[in-house]
Amino acid sequence: MKALLRMAGFGAVGASGVLPNLAVMWLLVDHWHLHYLPAAVVATEVAICWNFVLVDLVVFRSRRGRHWAGRFGRFVVLNNLDLAVRLPCWRCWSPGPASTSWSPTW
């Protein structure tokens, strides 16, 4: 039962990361007129930090054997591997190079 609750908490934290990601994308693209690819990188980094804080405080609160910087480093590396795969795919499926449009549901 504890593992199931931890899994549900991990999923809820991950889902909540969509909110800061979309908010930062909206701010950078629609208001600061930044191209959507660098905006996606910044938005992803913000969401990664959001998710780490929540995962560390809520989901794995009892598993804090190492310093937070080491945990954060591993978390960032793993999540940026996802970004390294996702960003080129997003570029291939998006409009031309001059476009600043983006779709949060790609």
Side-chain angles (χ1 to χ4, degrees), residues 5-101:
L5 287 173
R6 181 172 284 133
M7 186 172 58
F10 192 79
V13 166
S16 77
V18 171
L19 298 174
N21 188 289
L22 290 178
V24 171
M25 280 292 288
W26 171 75
L27 178 69
L28 295 177
V29 173
D30 290 350
H31 292 282
W32 292 2
H33 307 290
L34 187 65
H35 191 272
Y36 70 93
L37 289 176
V41 172
V42 172
T44 298
E45 298 307 319
V46 169
I48 288 171
C49 292
W50 169 279
N51 285 349
F52 173 77
V53 168
L54 291 179
V55 163
D56 202 52
L57 291 176
V58 177
V59 180
F60 295 116
R61 177 179 43 227
S62 63
R63 293 185 175 186
R64 291 190 189 161
R66 296 184 177 142
H67 191 267
W68 71 269
R71 295 190 311 269
F72 180 68
R74 285 188 301 279
F75 194 84
V76 167
V77 166
L78 183 62
N79 282 278
N80 279 306
L81 289 174
D82 167 66
L83 178 64
V85 170
R86 190 169 29 98
L87 205 58
C89 294
W90 198 2
R91 177 63 192 110
C92 291
W93 297 324
S94 66
S99 174
T100 58
S101 65

